[in-house]
Amino acid sequence: MTTTEEKNATSQSVSQFLTFTIGQEHFGMDLNQTREIIEYAGITQVPLMPQFLSGVINLRGEVVPVIDLSVRLGRDPIKIHKRTCVIVIELHSFEQHCVLGLLADAVNEVIELPATDIEEAPAFGAQIRAEFIQGIAKADDEFIVLLDAEKTLSPIELAHLVEAELQ
Amino acid sequence: MSLDAALQTFFVEAQEHLESMESVLLQMDEGECDSEMLNNIFRSAHTIKGSAGIFGLNHIVEFTHVVENILDRARENEITIEAKLIDVLFKCRDHIQALVKCTPEEALSDIQLKDTGTELHALLAPWAAEDLNTVHEKETLPNIENQNQPVTLDKNKYWHISLRLSKDCLQNGMDPLSFIKFLSTIGEIKHIKTLADNFPDLASFNPELLYFAYEISLQSEASLETIENTFMFVQDGSDINILPPETELGRYIELIEQLPEDNQRLGEILIDCGALTANSLQQALNQQSSDITNQFDEKPKLGEVLSENNTVSKEVISAALDKQSKNPNKTIDNTSTNKQIRVDSDRLDLLINLIGELVINQQRIDILANKTTNTPLIEAVGDFEGFTEQIRDAALSLRMVPIGGIFQRFKRVVRDTAQELNKEIELVIEGADTELDRLMVEKLGDPLTHIVRNAMDHGIEAVDQRIEAGKSAQGQLKLSAYHEAGHIVIAISDNGRGIDKERVRAKAIDKGIIHEDNVLTDNELYQLIFHPGFSTAEAVTSISGRGVGMDVVKRNVESLQGSIEIDSASGKGSTFKIRLPLTLAIIDGFHVESKGTHFIIPQATIIECIDLVAHVDIEGRHCINLRGDMIPYLAMNEIFNLAESQPSTALTDDKAQQRAELVIVQFGGNIAGIAVDKLNGEIQTVVKPLGPIFKPLKGIGGSSLLGSGEIAFILDIPQLIELAIGSEIQINSNQESQR
Amino acid sequence: MTTVKVTQKRNGSTEISIAGEFNIYSAMDIYQQHFKSISLKELVNFKLKGITEIDTAGMQMLILLFKEVEKNNAQYKIHSSNEVIDEYSKLFNIHHYFNNNDSEIMEGN
């Protein structure tokens, strides 16, 4: 909390976001948290996993879990097609850093948003849990939901969901 | 090496010396004491002080200096090591450790730390030489005006040190200034010659490189090691020659020839430094050449030559020769190879990871080669495989360290805790040379400490209670490590009162962890101890028992893919057994498939593979009759809910799919079967952890990449056996069958 | 902060005055700016009193300049002594560079 306030106070900081599309919706994620984007080339399902956990992929020797963000956000599972891609993100807040893949229908662009252009998430009315949303931005007349990756993809919470599924 | 890295090395080494001091003190505490131990502990204190001096960590130098003096007196048999002194030395060692952990600024501002230091110095006073205190007051920072010697120089010894330091040492924060200042704390610099011969032209000068060269004549009682250690952090790329007082003439001549400067000039410099006189150099040179005729004779030592010529007093020579015969193995120059090198653990991990990749790629090549009919290629690949395995094993062994290191630490923990608790406890260590992965060693410290303290606090009774119970007054705590079925077991046993099952139960009910009606097996009951918020101690002591910890112990062990069991007998004692995989990095596995999903079974757990025929289902549980024994088994497709629709990119052999194969595995004395569709054979596999998200998934311990690039899951056999046996126990209770 | 002033006089002499911390941190900048292509002829006057700190990098640069002067058959003069330089040069036995007219090597002090 204080850190964001400080940021706003010291400079009109500009953040970069990677925007992508799932279904008809546009999302953005802090570029600092994204590592790379790769083509979808099959996935190994992990037994007994809940639907949001699509499986694991071999990312140049690293075994990386892949999340169906669509399911995670309470929507239907993403449909795999030719242009499906995997956004590889890195989370650092957890004990050791955590690499995850996200399925997306398309990756659009990197946009720069000054802090002033980011609006707070509406307290209610959004179909996505408010704590997942870092803010809402508008670009080219489209709303972009800026996701808070740390919250949306918190490994601890995901593990709890897996545990629930297994019981 | 940058300054930071050098400092880091200092911290690591200081820690090692502190550990070594501790282990010597512990031995002394047990009544052992010989000159080697005294030398060891002295050397540790001395090296810490010395290295601290190089970095200007004067707070460490100042305190350690006094300790070192006491140890030196002990070494010279001026004082004897007695129990009281050992106690003080333990405290001093801890204080040094505290000092190492803080910056000079912190040390100055931390009044408590300063008070402890002063107090400890006062405690040491009875053993100190009379003049110690005054020496200590005089000796402040290494300072050229203040060349008070900590050790009185009773013999005349001149060392010659020739320094051609690495050119980039200034950039790395190493100014020769600090070395020279340090040298003047361990002796007196009789002469120094700063050579500016190798300066480049004005235009090609690089102001950040070192061009100065130094020839130093040092009078010091210090050992070669100490002087060498002064330059420990600039060794890379440096040419450092340290010639002890009675060095062979040949070495001087070699040195002269080896150095980049003009020979004639160097000769003059050595004369300047007092290392040689013009006359003796000339004579010695002549004699040296005439000795070529007697080449089978030992080379005359410069000392001998000089002695014959009566240029140096006989006493000095004999003292010097005496010194030389005491250290027959010491080599003179720094080209002597060290037996150990220090490697940054990150770099080691990188190497292991890369070798992991190498193993995978080798397997891929193997697959591709075997698809061809090219025999030479297949043979070459076979050879390659052999070497890859050797590389893998060699690399992994780099990561393996004996567990003795952490066991050793507990000697101190046990000694102190026993004193604190007013109990008599003996620590027995077994299997200290059992090796395990360094990564695990690092993470085991905390859980072990907790269990050990717990055992001492709650397990082992007070002396009067023990005598009352007809036991020896001295309790015993045993730390042992051994191999078992591809795992390492670390057992912590005590011969105390054992776990009071009724009290555990009552407590668990009281805390609402279990319900009064719950029927629990002993094992389940003991496992309650690991429940968060559980503590059986009636009084909360500082040693253990704030109700946090045992749950953390279990979590820590599980994070290492390990498990923990408790065995206890009332009145006799308890044993905590931690079972860990040998390594977290690479395992020998057996590759199987079920419905197109790839699994790896750790080779060490496998007893045999059989065709699955004629199984019996007892209450929905699968069992087979294996040579008369009923063995439970798990079908992978059932427990993992695998459907036929799983994509299988591997060549699917329909016939193989029809038949079920059974892999018989064992763990901790239990046997079970694992039913799969297909056996693919042995495979070396690099364990890729699946990450925290998959932790709740029982039966799968990690993942691995196959040569084809596909992902396989490594089966967690202990968990699977638990699953299979767990059901068997229920069956047994109904059917009164075996075991 | 290091201040370096190089003044070339009409008569061919040069005055170099250095003040502040003269060490590895400023050495490269100072060298590039002032000394890399300096021409030292006739008489070079060094005013070093203002140096508050000197390390081996700083000292090397001074010696470099002295050597350059000697190479050009010129002369250099040090004006007034400086404590930090004295301390350093005593420690390393290079004070003969700073004893103006007398460059004889001093035996063990």
Side-chain angles (χ1 to χ4, degrees):
Chain A
M1 288 287 261
T2 49
T3 52
T4 40
E5 274 166 24
E6 274 165 22
K7 260 186 213 160
N8 291 345
T10 48
S11 65
Q12 277 301 321
S13 60
V14 177
S15 310
Q16 289 184 310
F17 291 89
L18 178 78
T19 66
F20 53 94
T21 308
I22 298 176
Q24 303 300 313
E25 289 172 285
H26 301 291
F27 295 96
M29 201 166 271
D30 192 330
L31 194 68
N32 290 326
Q33 288 172 325
T34 59
R35 197 165 88 176
E36 61 186 304
I37 298 147
I38 54 166
E39 255 179 67
Y40 176 88
I43 202 162
T44 306
Q45 289 182 20
V46 182
L48 310 176
M49 286 298 108
Q51 207 174 14
F52 76 82
L53 238 176
S54 304
V56 286
I57 55 166
N58 170 2
L59 181 69
R60 293 186 302 277
E62 204 176 346
V63 175
V64 173
V66 176
I67 310 289
D68 186 337
L69 201 53
S70 187
V71 178
R72 176 70 181 135
L73 299 176
R75 287 142 174 75
D76 289 338
I78 202 164
K79 285 189 186 67
I80 302 296
H81 52 82
K82 262 194 204 161
R83 286 177 52 232
T84 303
C85 53
V86 180
I87 304 169
V88 180
I89 64 160
E90 249 180 293
L91 301 178
H92 297 282
S93 65
F94 199 59
E95 284 171 2
Q96 63 257 71
H97 86 131
C98 180
V99 179
L100 290 172
L102 302 177
L103 290 178
D105 283 318
V107 171
N108 305 327
E109 59 182 334
V110 173
I111 55 169
E112 284 192 352
L113 291 172
T116 45
D117 282 13
I118 301 174
E119 282 166 42
E120 267 182 41
F124 51 89
Q127 289 164 307
I128 300 171
R129 271 160 68 184
E131 75 226 55
F132 291 173
I133 304 176
Q134 185 184 338
I136 307 273
K138 214 173 163 195
D140 301 334
D141 285 337
E142 307 241 33
F143 281 107
I144 298 171
V145 178
L146 305 175
L147 292 171
D148 183 335
E150 303 279 356
K151 296 247 170 58
T152 318
L153 302 164
S154 149
I156 297 170
E157 197 182 331
L158 296 183
H160 283 314
L161 290 171
V162 169
E163 199 168 357
E165 174 80 14
L166 290 169
Q167 281 164 3
Chain B
M1 198 190 273
S2 72
L3 185 61
D4 273 355
L7 248 178
Q8 213 47 52
T9 311
F10 165 69
F11 289 133
V12 172
E13 300 211 328
Q15 195 51 46
E16 278 170 14
H17 283 295
L18 285 165
E19 274 164 28
S20 140
M21 283 175 82
E22 179 160 78
S23 82
V24 172
L25 284 172
L26 283 161
Q27 272 175 282
M28 289 178 172
D29 200 34
E30 284 165 17
E32 291 170 48
C33 186
D34 58 32
S35 63
E36 198 185 317
M37 283 160 64
L38 284 166
N39 272 331
N40 270 338
I41 191 167
F42 168 78
R43 231 181 353 255
S44 295
H46 184 72
T47 311
I48 292 171
K49 185 191 94 168
S51 311
I54 296 171
F55 290 102
L57 303 170
N58 289 312
H59 61 298
I60 302 174
V61 177
E62 218 171 294
F63 179 82
T64 315
H65 169 65
V66 177
V67 181
E68 181 198 347
N69 267 314
I70 302 278
L71 294 170
D72 192 35
R73 296 197 69 206
R75 194 168 67 133
E76 301 291 338
N77 291 322
E78 286 169 32
I79 52 170
T80 45
I81 294 287
E82 49 189 322
K84 256 164 96 188
L85 177 57
I86 295 173
D87 272 341
V88 181
L89 287 174
F90 264 123
K91 286 181 188 142
C92 288
R93 179 224 161 259
D94 292 353
H95 188 65
I96 298 171
Q97 183 156 41
L99 292 173
V100 168
K101 283 185 179 146
C102 62
T103 62
E105 292 75 32
E106 282 165 2
L108 274 178
S109 59
D110 191 331
I111 293 163
Q112 209 186 332
L113 202 64
K114 265 181 104 170
D115 286 352
T116 315
T118 322
E119 201 180 300
L120 288 172
H121 276 175
L123 283 174
L124 285 172
W127 293 279
E130 275 163 26
D131 62 337
L132 174 69
N133 294 323
T134 49
V135 170
H136 172 235
E137 273 161 28
K138 269 190 265 165
E139 200 204 33
T140 49
L141 310 189
N143 189 326
I144 193 65
E145 272 102 15
N146 183 2
Q147 287 189 351
N148 282 323
Q149 296 313 309
V151 189
T152 47
L153 295 166
D154 53 352
K155 289 165 193 161
N156 207 24
K157 296 187 179 185
Y158 282 54
W159 295 75
H160 186 81
I161 303 167
S162 169
L163 294 179
R164 300 296 178 275
L165 298 176
S166 130
K167 273 199 154 19
D168 57 7
C169 75
L170 298 178
Q171 287 164 325
N172 293 336
M174 297 286 185
D175 196 296
L177 204 53
S178 52
F179 303 119
I180 303 304
K181 280 187 177 172
F182 178 73
L183 286 179
S184 62
T185 67
I186 59 168
E188 189 184 340
I189 294 176
K190 283 307 209 187
H191 190 91
I192 177 167
K193 181 79 190 153
T194 302
L195 296 156
D197 295 28
N198 298 323
F199 273 48
D201 287 347
L202 189 66
S204 47
F205 183 80
N206 180 341
E208 292 184 350
L209 295 183
L210 180 73
Y211 297 102
F212 280 140
Y214 306 95
E215 298 292 336
I216 301 158
S217 176
L218 177 75
Q219 180 183 41
S220 174
E221 276 287 291
S223 67
L224 175 66
E225 197 185 358
T226 308
I227 298 175
E228 271 180 357
N229 282 348
T230 312
F231 308 104
M232 178 166 37
F233 302 105
V234 278
Q235 268 178 20
D236 287 353
S238 295
D239 192 0
I240 300 165
N241 286 279
I242 301 170
L243 307 185
E246 76 294 358
T247 294
E248 275 179 19
L249 179 64
R251 279 291 299 142
Y252 274 104
I253 293 164
E254 265 175 41
L255 176 63
I256 290 172
E257 279 167 359
Q258 177 189 335
L259 293 175
E261 287 83 9
D262 176 68
N263 286 357
Q264 186 61 40
R265 180 157 157 68
L266 277 167
E268 284 164 18
I269 288 161
L270 289 178
I271 293 162
D272 263 359
C273 286
L276 304 169
T277 63
N279 222 358
S280 64
L281 178 68
Q282 200 48 54
Q283 286 179 4
L285 278 165
N286 293 343
Q287 180 151 0
Q288 183 89 354
S289 56
S290 71
D291 276 341
I292 292 171
T293 48
N294 307 337
Q295 49 187 302
F296 294 107
D297 292 347
E298 221 179 288
K299 267 190 194 170
K301 296 194 169 42
L302 182 62
E304 288 169 12
V305 174
L306 296 177
S307 166
E308 279 163 28
N309 296 341
N310 224 1
T311 42
V312 185
S313 73
K314 285 261 197 289
E315 292 89 312
V316 173
I317 294 290
S318 62
L321 291 177
D322 186 38
K323 167 98 180 171
Q324 199 177 39
S325 60
K326 272 184 194 157
N327 298 324
N329 299 326
K330 288 265 161 139
T331 43
I332 290 161
D333 50 0
N334 69 330
T335 52
S336 65
T337 44
N338 289 323
K339 289 241 168 71
Q340 292 197 329
I341 55 162
R342 229 167 256 295
V343 180
D344 186 9
S345 61
D346 288 346
R347 279 158 74 182
L348 190 57
D349 288 346
L350 177 68
L351 175 71
I352 306 261
N353 278 336
L354 286 172
I355 287 168
E357 303 302 323
L358 180 69
V359 170
I360 292 168
N361 278 289
Q362 181 271 320
Q363 282 163 358
R364 188 155 76 213
I365 291 169
D366 196 39
I367 291 172
L368 294 173
N370 281 310
K371 281 183 182 163
T372 68
T373 50
N374 187 335
T375 318
L377 176 66
I378 293 170
E379 277 170 8
V381 169
D383 290 345
F384 179 39
E385 183 176 0
F387 286 121
T388 314
E389 264 173 46
Q390 285 178 31
I391 291 172
R392 178 202 75 160
D393 291 345
L396 278 181
S397 73
L398 293 178
R399 264 216 338 202
M400 303 297 274
V401 293
I403 196 164
I406 31 175
F407 279 1
Q408 212 59 31
R409 264 191 256 160
F410 286 102
K411 284 192 174 170
R412 181 71 192 279
V413 173
V414 170
R415 179 192 182 272
D416 288 0
T417 314
Q419 266 188 4
E420 203 174 322
L421 291 169
N422 207 10
K423 292 180 182 177
E424 282 182 29
I425 300 170
E426 174 202 13
L427 178 71
V428 178
I429 289 174
E430 279 175 10
D433 52 357
T434 311
E435 290 193 323
L436 82 171
D437 202 296
R438 181 183 55 75
L439 274 181
M440 287 197 271
V441 171
E442 280 165 12
K443 289 182 180 164
L444 270 175
D446 287 351
L448 279 180
T449 309
H450 212 88
I451 297 174
V452 165
R453 290 194 161 178
N454 210 63
M456 294 176 68
D457 197 9
H458 305 321
I460 294 176
E461 312 90 330
V463 174
D464 48 346
Q465 283 177 23
R466 286 186 67 90
I467 292 169
E468 210 172 293
K471 295 181 174 182
S472 60
Q474 194 183 42
Q476 194 194 62
L477 188 77
K478 193 163 89 179
L479 288 175
S480 48
Y482 52 92
H483 288 263
E484 185 185 281
H487 281 71
I488 277 179
V489 178
I490 299 166
I492 305 101
S493 336
D494 66 69
N495 63 356
R497 59 170 71 96
I499 296 170
D500 186 339
K501 281 185 265 186
E502 279 318 304
R503 246 172 73 199
V504 171
R505 196 182 156 76
K507 188 105 179 180
I509 293 168
D510 188 41
K511 297 252 167 185
I513 300 169
I514 55 165
H515 193 263
E516 229 168 301
D517 303 334
N518 284 122
V519 181
L520 298 176
T521 62
D522 282 1
N523 193 37
E524 283 168 322
L525 201 64
Y526 293 144
Q527 289 291 329
L528 291 176
I529 290 170
F530 299 116
H531 197 281
F534 187 92
S535 170
T536 53
E538 270 152 16
V540 170
T541 68
S542 63
I543 310 294
S544 64
R546 225 163 285 107
V548 288
M550 287 310 263
D551 57 321
V552 178
V553 166
K554 186 170 181 176
R555 259 216 312 280
N556 283 350
V557 170
E558 282 179 347
S559 75
L560 297 171
Q561 326 268 328
S563 63
I564 182 162
E565 296 165 24
I566 303 177
D567 201 6
S568 181
S570 182
K572 287 187 179 159
S574 317
T575 299
F576 283 68
K577 264 189 199 172
I578 299 175
R579 213 178 277 274
L580 295 165
L582 273 183
T583 171
L584 298 172
I586 300 177
I587 58 168
D588 278 313
F590 197 75
H591 176 199
V592 299
E593 258 177 71
S594 181
K595 304 288 175 201
T597 301
H598 300 272
F599 295 102
I600 309 275
I601 301 174
Q603 193 81 45
T605 62
I606 298 178
I607 301 175
E608 60 183 319
C609 299
I610 55 170
D611 281 350
L612 179 55
V613 283
H615 71 277
V616 254
D617 283 1
I618 304 168
E619 297 203 337
R621 305 285 177 180
H622 307 307
C623 289
I624 69 144
N625 186 329
L626 182 68
R627 294 183 286 272
D629 282 337
M630 289 304 274
I631 305 285
Y633 79 87
L634 299 166
M636 288 297 100
N637 57 342
E638 288 173 21
I639 69 155
F640 289 133
N641 198 17
L642 305 172
E644 204 67 62
S645 62
Q646 282 271 2
S648 166
T649 42
L651 292 172
T652 319
D653 182 3
D654 279 62
K655 272 180 204 157
Q657 293 276 350
Q658 306 289 321
R659 240 176 38 201
E661 307 274 356
L662 196 64
V663 183
I664 308 292
V665 292
Q666 66 150 5
F667 186 77
N670 292 310
I671 294 175
I674 288 170
V676 297
D677 299 340
K678 207 173 155 195
L679 304 176
N680 287 342
E682 286 176 30
I683 187 173
Q684 284 190 343
T685 174
V686 183
V687 179
K688 305 269 177 186
L690 269 175
I693 298 175
F694 297 99
K695 238 190 119 195
L697 179 58
K698 296 279 175 233
I700 291 180
S703 62
S704 175
L705 298 177
L706 300 172
S708 61
E710 286 173 288
I711 297 169
F713 300 103
I714 299 169
L715 294 178
D716 185 327
I717 298 304
Q719 282 180 359
L720 286 174
I721 290 187
E722 207 174 282
L723 225 59
I725 297 290
S727 53
E728 196 201 22
I729 290 164
Q730 281 169 11
I731 300 159
N732 286 349
S733 59
N734 291 339
Q735 296 202 344
E736 268 181 71
S737 95
Q738 80 278 24
R739 267 202 244 246
Chain C
M1 256 312 278
T2 329
T3 346
V4 176
K5 234 172 82 188
V6 178
T7 328
Q8 305 259 355
K9 299 265 165 71
R10 278 241 180 89
N11 61 10
S13 75
T14 311
E15 186 182 295
I16 297 176
S17 84
I18 306 174
E21 293 171 6
F22 192 34
N23 54 28
I24 179 99
Y25 303 108
S26 52
M28 186 56 97
D29 286 348
I30 292 171
Y31 168 76
Q32 295 283 0
Q33 256 185 48
H34 300 285
F35 301 141
K36 193 173 178 177
S37 43
I38 195 169
S39 130
L40 300 169
K41 287 193 190 108
E42 308 282 340
L43 180 68
V44 184
N45 287 304
F46 283 92
K47 297 200 165 168
L48 308 173
K49 197 171 172 52
I51 293 180
T52 55
E53 190 196 301
I54 191 157
D55 69 356
T56 301
M59 186 55 79
Q60 273 192 158
M61 197 132 42
L62 288 180
I63 305 289
L64 174 80
L65 295 172
F66 297 163
K67 285 172 78 88
E68 182 68 17
V69 170
E70 280 172 352
K71 206 156 66 183
N72 297 343
N73 288 322
Q75 274 191 328
Y76 69 90
K77 248 194 171 135
I78 316 273
H79 291 257
S80 65
S81 66
N82 175 313
E83 229 169 76
V84 293
I85 291 183
D86 279 357
E87 194 188 330
Y88 188 104
S89 54
K90 261 188 202 145
L91 188 56
F92 283 95
N93 189 23
I94 47 171
H95 41 290
H96 54 277
Y97 283 107
F98 296 90
N99 293 348
N100 273 341
N101 304 315
D102 175 18
S103 59
E104 213 177 80
I105 298 166
M106 307 284 278
E107 270 299 336
N109 39 300

